[in-house]
Amino acid sequence: MREAGELICLGIESTADDFSVGIVSSGGEILANIIDAYISPDGGIHPREAARHHAEVAGKVVAKALEVAGLGANEVDVIAFSQGPGMGPCLRTGATVARALASFLNKPLVGVNHCVAHVEIGRLACQMEDPLTLYVSGGNTLVTAYEAGRYRVFGETLDIPIGNCLDVFAREAGLRPRPGKPLGALVEELAREGHELVPLPYVVKGMDLSFSGLLTATIRLLRSGRYRLEDLCFSLQEVAFSMLAEVTERALAHTEKSELLLTGGAAANKRLRSMLQEVAREHGARFAVVPRELALDNGAMIAWTGLLAYQSGIRTPIGESYVRPRWRIDEVPVPWREDARGVFRPFRP
């Protein structure tokens, strides 16, 4: 039952292959979180095809979310949507649906940064106050923490994200996703059967990472036929995750945060989890992984972050609700965190 004075937000996520609608209360209760994913035959993402999928399923996903939440559309107080970063055609479809709902229902609209939303739903789900966050997915790889009014980036990929690196290698190896088994999970399965650590490029530049050379080298060795696929999967994971652990550890030491949060689609990998758990242990930090249903792209994270923004006075007029495919996390003011402690200290390697 809805509490007196409680706000309800409907959030729309559409940055990539998932079209999702979440409904969340200002008390932090997730009332609904419905996801309908576009699946291509080869396991990749075709932006226009994904956008077409989103347009086709939008109505039924919104209706299903309201049904699960037990609410009528007019009982929603705020409409939020993923404004960026992401794939342009997919973002535009979600924004169009959000504008239509906000206009028809005469409700305020709030554009949400997708990366900020991953951090905020993680803070809520894992009950963390001020974590350093490693966000790893098919579209993003970065280390971020709150300092002086924004989420600052303490390290990021200079080319491709880790999730994309693993997916491209998997497709090159002839692997195909199965229900409940995305490409990254198939690489992880094969890696457990690997034993030989094959020499591969380890590229950390200051606090940033580069995965393109690592991917190219691994594919070249795969085509050479000199090594077992299991050993290449094992080696690719070990090198890539060691790079991530190094950058995360240095950021943790610099920021002196007492919490370490792992989120994003690649957060499901148990080997990566074990490496970061050891990093946290060595620095006396509490470690947590966002639950899978909230670590993947989802509408609940957009709804929750939309509520935080709305309660801090942020609104997105319809005329300014254009999408921002390259919207960086460190460009977004986060006024709801202004009471957080800490002084920003620029990192100098």
Side-chain angles (χ1 to χ4, degrees):
M1 184 174 177
R2 183 172 180 172
E3 298 292 333
E6 195 171 53
L7 295 174
I8 302 292
C9 181
L10 183 150
I12 297 173
E13 159 59 27
S14 66
T15 55
D17 55 341
D18 293 327
F19 185 87
S20 178
V21 175
I23 300 177
V24 179
S25 74
S26 54
E29 183 181 0
I30 298 173
L31 305 174
N33 195 27
I34 309 301
I35 301 174
D36 195 309
Y38 160 75
I39 301 175
S40 70
D42 61 3
I45 302 177
H46 305 281
R48 295 195 182 282
E49 291 297 321
R52 186 175 295 112
H53 161 270
H54 296 352
E56 290 172 353
V57 304
K60 72 174 185 180
V61 176
V62 170
K64 181 66 174 177
L66 288 168
E67 178 187 346
V68 170
L71 296 171
N74 281 314
E75 294 181 87
V76 172
D77 300 296
V78 184
I79 305 295
F81 70 102
S82 49
Q83 195 169 7
M87 297 179 175
C90 301
L91 287 168
R92 284 190 286 273
T93 301
T96 299
V97 175
R99 290 186 204 107
L101 283 172
S103 298
F104 180 74
L105 298 172
N106 193 27
K107 303 293 183 179
L109 183 68
V110 178
V112 169
N113 180 282
H114 175 87
C115 301
V116 170
H118 270 291
V119 177
E120 292 300 344
I121 198 67
R123 291 178 60 226
L124 174 67
C126 299
Q127 298 185 343
M128 285 193 157
E129 182 64 31
D130 187 28
L132 177 81
T133 301
L134 174 61
Y135 168 31
V136 283
S137 70
N140 297 278
T141 295
L142 57 87
V143 181
T144 186
Y146 177 84
E147 294 286 357
R150 301 191 181 205
Y151 282 109
R152 308 291 173 168
V153 175
F154 290 91
E156 61 187 323
T157 179
L158 296 173
D159 39 52
I160 60 174
I162 179 60
N164 181 257
C165 175
L166 296 174
D167 288 353
V168 171
F169 176 76
R171 286 196 293 272
E172 187 69 25
L175 304 179
R176 292 293 179 266
R178 307 191 300 268
K181 287 287 183 181
L183 290 172
L186 297 177
V187 172
E188 182 181 6
E189 276 188 358
L190 289 169
R192 294 195 193 106
E193 303 302 320
H195 307 291
E196 181 181 357
L197 185 60
V198 179
L200 292 170
Y202 183 101
V203 188
V204 173
K205 301 180 179 181
M207 283 294 289
D208 295 324
L209 314 105
S210 173
F211 294 108
S212 60
L214 170 61
L215 174 61
T216 299
T218 313
I219 289 175
R220 186 181 298 120
L221 291 176
L222 173 69
R223 291 173 178 172
S224 75
R226 291 164 50 197
Y227 298 98
R228 297 167 61 238
L229 177 57
E230 292 84 352
D231 290 329
L232 288 175
C233 289
F234 168 72
S235 302
L236 176 59
Q237 277 200 169
E238 288 299 303
V239 173
F241 295 168
S242 294
M243 290 162 56
L244 288 167
E246 177 190 335
V247 170
T248 302
E249 181 168 24
R250 290 164 65 188
L252 194 61
H254 169 68
T255 60
E256 298 180 348
K257 300 290 185 183
S258 60
E259 300 168 320
L260 176 58
L261 182 68
L262 175 62
T263 192
N269 190 289
K270 293 181 180 178
R271 178 58 179 147
L272 178 58
R273 291 184 179 195
S274 68
M275 285 187 176
L276 292 176
Q277 188 166 30
E278 182 61 21
V279 166
R281 188 192 65 78
E282 290 185 0
H283 288 266
R286 178 189 164 215
F287 176 64
V289 182
V290 179
R292 178 173 173 76
E293 65 273 14
L294 296 177
L296 297 171
D297 296 347
N298 66 90
M301 71 183 196
I302 302 300
W304 174 242
T305 309
L307 271 175
L308 294 175
Y310 178 78
Q311 291 177 308
S312 297
I314 295 175
R315 311 287 187 274
T316 305
I318 295 290
E320 298 174 16
S321 61
Y322 50 84
V323 300
R324 305 178 63 178
R326 299 184 181 276
W327 195 14
R328 288 178 57 87
I329 191 172
D330 50 8
E331 296 174 344
V332 187
V334 284
W336 58 90
R337 295 285 317 268
E338 285 180 356
D339 61 344
R341 298 177 181 177
V343 178
F344 176 57
R345 295 165 293 168
F347 183 81
R348 297 181 178 86

